[in-house]
Amino acid sequence: MTRARDFISLNGPDNVGKTTHLVRLAERWDGCQPLGAVHEHDPEPWARVAGGDYARWWFATSTTVELTEMLLAGHAKRAAAREAGRTGLLDRGLPMLLAVSTATSVVKDGLTVGKALKTVTSIASSRAGASEISILLVPSLDAERSYAIASAREGRPWTGIYPEYQ
């Protein structure tokens, strides 16, 4: 008999439909517990940095260590909120949080993907992971088309460093 996973995470670029699909899963599967995004479980630090120019903090003034630690702290608190015997539904799981931090480090710090990933994984290395099934959602297998679809869903143009990050 196969045991249920602790978590199912939906991952992918902004505006790909992660939240929409998580809501649908929760409506149709009694054993699931929607747990949402990391900032919902650790709101104080996110409110502090978002109080001003959130994009500036994310892409200019935060350090890779600070961003990664905030993502991991929120992820740990979110995981702790899962009720025993239920499968937690995550809006971005651990692999995506590490990818987000890595992508930010690439565009902000000018590191190669390999060096940024090594930096982020070394920060996260002391964290034990729970059983998680990670599903990647993309609007298209073609990267340029995928970007065009996701950015069009935003309803306004992505500017500054954000298109490079995506």
Side-chain angles (χ1 to χ4, degrees), residues 3-137:
R3 79 172 185 88
R5 296 291 181 175
D6 293 333
F7 300 97
I8 295 173
S9 67
L10 296 187
N11 305 279
D14 290 345
N15 301 310
V16 74
K18 296 178 295 291
T19 304
T20 299
H21 283 86
L22 288 170
V23 167
R24 289 178 180 158
L25 277 171
E27 288 173 351
R28 290 166 177 80
W29 192 7
D30 290 336
C32 285
Q33 178 186 359
L35 292 170
V38 292
H39 67 277
E40 296 168 12
H41 294 272
D42 195 19
E44 187 278 320
W46 293 99
R48 180 176 35 82
V49 300
D53 184 349
Y54 189 65
R56 185 175 186 290
W57 173 83
W58 190 283
F59 292 110
T61 61
S62 71
T63 66
T64 299
V65 170
E66 180 183 25
L67 174 62
T68 305
E69 289 290 348
M70 281 180 61
L71 291 168
L72 293 171
H75 181 64
K77 289 182 179 181
R78 176 176 65 174
R82 182 181 64 87
E83 298 168 2
R86 298 189 75 196
T87 299
L89 299 177
L90 308 177
D91 186 333
R92 295 179 181 90
L94 184 59
M96 188 68 187
L97 298 177
L98 298 177
V100 162
S101 192
T102 299
T104 303
S105 182
V106 167
V107 299
K108 182 179 66 176
D109 302 329
L111 299 178
T112 65
V113 172
K115 178 69 175 160
L117 181 59
K118 184 176 180 179
T119 300
V120 169
T121 55
S122 72
I123 296 165
S125 66
S126 65
R127 307 292 199 300
S131 173
E132 178 180 332
I133 295 175
S134 299
I135 300 167
L136 179 63
L137 304 176

